[in-house]
Amino acid sequence: MLYAIVGIDQPESLAARQASRPAHLARLEALRDAGRLLLAGPFPAIDALDPGPAGFSGSLIVAEFASLDEARTWADADPYRAAGVYASVDVRPFRQTLP
C-alpha cells in the first residue's frame, strides 16, 4: 500500500537539511530503485523553485510499504529526523486516484 510521509521543518533548519541531504537522498534512491517510490520532494518556504536562504518548510514522500508500521519505522530512521530538520512527521495511508 502507498503511504504519505509529510515532514514539517523546524525553523532555521536549512543548514542541517543541507548537511544531511546526501544521506536522505540515498534512502529515497533505494526506494526508487526498488520500484517503491511514487514521488518525493521538499516544500519551498517561499513561492519559488529555488527558495535560496528562505529554505524549505518540509517534505513530502509517497512510497509503498508493507504496512503503516513499516512506513513509520522507515520515516523515523530518516536522516532529517536524526539531524533535527523535522519538527514533526506525519505518516498516513494514501490511495492514489490520478493519474
Side-chain angles (χ1 to χ4, degrees):
M1 180 164 185
L2 292 174
Y3 295 88
I5 301 169
V6 179
I8 303 300
D9 286 15
Q10 297 272 7
E12 308 298 323
S13 62
L14 182 58
R17 177 181 269 273
Q18 290 170 330
S20 54
R21 187 169 189 261
H24 172 78
L25 288 179
R27 295 180 81 236
L28 292 172
E29 290 165 351
L31 281 178
R32 179 201 61 204
D33 293 349
R36 296 173 46 202
L37 182 65
L38 183 66
L39 65 91
F43 300 120
I46 60 173
D47 190 11
L49 287 177
D50 180 358
F56 300 91
S57 63
S59 303
L60 170 65
I61 299 164
V62 179
E64 183 180 345
F65 293 93
S67 68
L68 181 57
D69 285 341
E70 182 183 309
R72 286 182 174 146
T73 298
W74 187 92
D76 286 344
D78 192 299
Y80 282 177
R81 294 276 312 223
V85 173
Y86 291 148
S88 66
V89 175
D90 184 33
V91 181
R92 57 179 68 193
F94 178 80
R95 188 180 81 184
Q96 183 179 1
T97 302
L98 294 171

